Amino acid sequence: MTHITDVPIRHKGKAVKAGAIAGISKRDSRLSIANLSIAFIALVIGGAAGLLQGFVRSGFLELPSWISYYALLTAHGVLLVLVLSSFFSIGYLYAGTSRVLGGLADKTVAFGWTGFGLMTAGTVIAAFFILSGDANVLYTFYTPMQANPWFYVGLSLLVVGILLNCIGMFITYQSWRKRNPGELTPLFAFFSNAVFVLWVFASLFIAVFVVGMVIPWAFGWVPTIDPMIGRTMFWAFGHTLVNIWMLTSISAWYVSMPKIIGGKVFSDSLARVAVVILVVANVPGGFHHQILDPGLSVELKFLHVIQTFMIIFPSLMTAFAILATMERTGRTKGVTSLLGWWKILPWSDARFFALIVAMLAYIPAGLGGIINASNQINQVVHNSIWVTGHLHLTVGTTVMLTFFGISYWLIPYLSGRKMTKTINRLALAQTVVWASGMLLMSGAMHFNGLLGSPRRTANTTYNGHSAASDWALYEMLMAMGGVILFIGILLLVYIWIQLAFIAPKGDTDFPIGEDYNKKDASPLFMDRWAIWVALATLSIAIAYVIPLLDFASGNSPGSPPFLMP
């Protein structure tokens, strides 16, 4: 494994030390800061929309006539699930890649800024039509529900911007490999490249669907659209997006967490194998969101459930590697008891504390995912608010807390400042507040889902039906959890402002862990992404060619648009 002390001179352009901040050039840091800034804005607006949702659904608030509950629901999903995660991941992965590869290539920066501009423009356009009430189609924008056609244009710009960032990352990755023949790319760069490979697969599905089908239909150029194609293409994108967030988060667990706790990466080769399995097996998992859909044979659904469960293996590998890293670190510090290593972990370091809470949340989140992907059990929870609770455990807790933990070193790393003891204590408190609010809200959603409470609806009283009366307590707990979470957002924004503009000047490291054993390094063919892309393409073809050809055969009459209130 190659480390930052071993990297050669950076790409053609400015030298690393010229105008550098903590080992990264100001040119590269500005691109990451721009992406992170949009992510933080999306968090505040999307979080406020979620808070209002909770009040409306629990009966504590009635919205004015000029805004719809479903506009809030759409804004909450699009801004947090798509916009925040995309901008944050790009800002973080670009910064880390610049750190370990000695800087970004000139063309990468050009593609990055162009992609940032398109993504920002697309976000503004989409958000405008959502908040104006002309795009009440939720995060999934299932057809034949129809939004203003310019909403889809905004989404298209966002996706094209992501693809340009992918090209930029591939340029730097391949440039480093050409200048360093016979060397294995640093583990962080391997993670980054994997994330952007998945983004290409995901973006191509949604781009073909939105540009090729939805936009012509939304502008009235074609009269109908096939809802089954829409759901299938969306979940090929949407499920892959989930694992893009997870892979981004896991990169910090594998690479940065060992450095923070004073240890080393447990196994470079195990990490790369887990990454490759996630890339190859990921996309076909989208069909488990369609277990109850018509138009798909039982045999096809069974195949896709198996492909979905393949993702369990890298998850278990990750759990083993992370626990082994922490235990081995404790052993090197003299701990001999069975679980004594758990006590000497740096619990007072907010960078570690946020990550470990995120990892612990991943345990019930993963178990819930197995339930959702199981044909028989899915019948019980499908389309109930249980599914929303699962999403808030995975994205809202595991991913977001990891992103927050990353921020506690990434923001001062880019701004040339240091985290003070006071800010660290605030960050510890923020982690507790966020985890508590999410535990309360997500837990209430899971229990309410088992009682049959639906998702995606503002009114859950069912005209006073007795069955709905059992849901009231959990609706109230969900709203209380939302209040706690919004307090967590405000606290987080305060911390970010401190770390970006007010904290004392100084050097903050981007933690990159080293290997325990250099002999454990993976063989060089692991860097040959053509192999893994080809296998992933084959996996996708096995899953999607037959159903998509069947949908496109003309047997479906299609549907005219339905406009949502």
Side-chain angles (χ1 to χ4, degrees):
M1 181 178 175
T2 305
H3 306 291
I4 188 60
T5 54
D6 304 319
V7 298
I9 191 167
R10 74 184 302 273
H11 297 272
K12 184 179 179 180
K14 297 178 182 178
V16 171
K17 297 300 181 183
I21 298 176
I24 181 174
S25 70
K26 288 185 178 179
R27 182 192 69 165
D28 293 355
S29 69
R30 282 194 291 267
L31 179 56
S32 288
I33 290 170
N35 280 282
L36 295 172
S37 299
I38 300 298
F40 300 157
I41 294 170
L43 175 64
V44 174
I45 300 175
L51 177 65
L52 293 175
Q53 276 180 249
F55 284 154
V56 171
R57 186 171 170 121
S58 60
F60 291 139
L61 177 69
E62 184 172 339
L63 293 171
S65 59
W66 50 268
I67 189 167
S68 163
Y69 172 85
Y70 299 101
L72 294 175
L73 189 55
T74 305
H76 180 67
V78 170
L79 290 176
L80 297 188
V81 176
L82 181 56
V83 175
L84 182 152
S85 62
S86 299
F87 277 98
F88 186 93
S89 297
I90 290 170
Y92 159 60
L93 294 173
Y94 266 38
T97 302
S98 176
R99 160 79 160 80
V100 299
L101 297 187
L104 302 176
D106 294 338
K107 289 183 179 178
T108 297
V109 176
F111 273 104
W113 279 115
T114 305
F116 170 79
L118 290 176
M119 290 173 66
T120 304
T123 298
V124 171
I125 292 170
F128 173 80
F129 286 102
I130 291 171
L131 297 177
S132 66
D134 290 329
N136 296 340
V137 291
L138 314 189
Y139 153 65
T140 51
F141 57 92
Y142 286 153
T143 56
M145 293 190 299
Q146 189 183 89
N148 186 293
W150 290 100
F151 165 76
Y152 301 113
V153 172
L155 289 182
S156 299
L157 292 175
L158 180 61
V159 172
V160 172
I162 290 173
L163 284 171
L164 291 180
N165 277 284
C166 295
I167 295 171
M169 178 59 69
F170 299 153
I171 290 172
T172 289
Y173 186 84
Q174 293 302 323
S175 174
W176 189 93
R177 288 190 61 207
K178 288 179 181 179
R179 292 182 294 107
N180 296 271
E183 291 191 43
L184 200 63
T185 52
L187 183 57
F188 187 93
F190 189 84
F191 268 101
S192 295
N193 199 65
V195 170
F196 283 93
V197 166
L198 276 181
W199 241 324
V200 170
F201 282 126
S203 299
L204 289 178
F205 271 100
I206 205 66
V208 169
F209 175 57
V210 172
V211 176
M213 297 179 64
V214 177
I215 288 179
W217 170 72
F219 275 107
W221 302 333
V222 295
T224 63
I225 196 166
D226 187 338
M228 279 304 299
I229 293 180
R231 287 175 61 84
T232 302
M233 299 287 274
F234 175 84
W235 281 116
F237 160 77
H239 178 76
T240 306
L241 191 64
V242 171
N243 284 284
I244 286 170
W245 310 322
M246 288 309 306
L247 196 53
T248 303
S249 300
I250 289 170
S251 69
W253 303 357
Y254 270 109
V255 181
S256 296
M257 188 272 292
K259 182 75 170 180
I260 293 171
I261 67 175
K264 295 183 178 181
V265 176
F266 173 72
S267 173
D268 174 88
S269 58
L270 184 149
R272 293 180 197 253
V273 171
V275 169
V276 167
I277 295 174
L278 276 170
V279 171
V280 171
N282 175 75
V283 180
F287 262 117
H288 83 259
H289 294 268
Q290 298 176 251
I291 286 178
L292 295 188
D293 280 10
L296 297 171
S297 69
V298 173
E299 293 78 13
L300 189 64
K301 292 177 181 179
F302 179 71
L303 170 65
H304 287 210
V305 166
I306 293 175
Q307 289 181 293
T308 300
F309 281 2
M310 288 180 67
I311 301 175
I312 296 173
F313 294 105
S315 298
L316 293 175
M317 292 166 66
T318 297
F320 170 78
I322 299 307
L323 286 172
T325 298
M326 292 188 287
E327 180 177 6
R328 183 173 286 185
T329 301
R331 301 299 180 204
T332 60
K333 295 180 179 180
V335 175
T336 57
S337 61
L338 181 63
L339 297 176
W341 54 271
W342 188 257
K343 299 177 182 178
I344 68 167
L345 294 172
W347 296 99
S348 60
D349 188 333
R351 300 173 302 167
F352 169 76
F353 187 60
L355 295 188
I356 191 66
V357 175
M359 295 174 201
L360 293 174
Y362 192 43
I363 298 172
L367 294 174
I370 295 173
I371 291 171
N372 295 342
S374 302
N375 184 41
Q376 293 86 345
I377 309 178
N378 182 272
Q379 316 291 319
V380 178
V381 299
H382 189 86
N383 246 7
S384 74
I385 203 166
W386 162 289
V387 179
T388 310
H390 169 71
L391 182 67
H392 282 80
L393 262 186
T394 51
V395 182
T397 311
T398 298
V399 172
M400 291 309 301
L401 276 177
T402 300
F403 284 4
F404 297 163
I406 291 170
S407 298
Y408 298 147
W409 76 74
L410 182 59
I411 301 302
Y413 171 74
L414 295 172
S415 64
R417 298 180 184 275
K418 294 184 71 68
M419 176 181 276
T420 64
K421 291 183 179 180
T422 300
I423 300 176
N424 183 73
R425 285 194 292 269
L426 285 174
L428 291 171
Q430 194 278 335
T431 301
V432 173
V433 169
W434 187 268
S436 301
M438 200 60 77
L439 178 65
L440 181 61
M441 185 173 71
S442 177
M445 288 176 173
H446 278 85
F447 282 108
N448 221 10
L450 293 176
L451 294 175
S453 180
R455 58 177 174 145
R456 295 174 170 153
T457 180
N459 190 326
T460 58
T461 62
Y462 283 82
N463 295 319
H465 194 282
S466 58
S469 62
D470 295 334
W471 305 337
L473 171 63
Y474 297 103
E475 303 282 358
M476 180 184 67
L477 293 176
M478 286 157 51
M480 292 171 58
V483 172
I484 296 172
L485 287 169
F486 195 72
I487 293 172
I489 290 175
L490 296 179
L491 185 57
L492 187 71
V493 170
Y494 176 78
I495 293 169
W496 282 337
I497 292 173
Q498 289 286 324
L499 293 176
F501 304 108
I502 301 173
K505 289 284 187 178
D507 289 336
T508 295
D509 185 32
F510 192 118
I512 301 293
E514 298 181 358
D515 248 347
Y516 270 108
N517 185 0
K518 299 273 187 176
K519 295 179 181 179
D520 176 61
S522 300
L524 288 176
F525 76 81
M526 292 295 292
D527 267 341
R528 298 189 62 181
W529 276 95
I531 300 174
W532 316 127
V533 170
L535 289 176
T537 302
L538 177 61
S539 175
I540 293 168
I542 292 172
Y544 284 99
V545 167
I546 293 176
L548 287 177
L549 286 177
D550 185 51
F551 296 152
S553 64
N555 295 325
S556 172
S559 173
F562 286 82
L563 300 178
M564 298 301 293

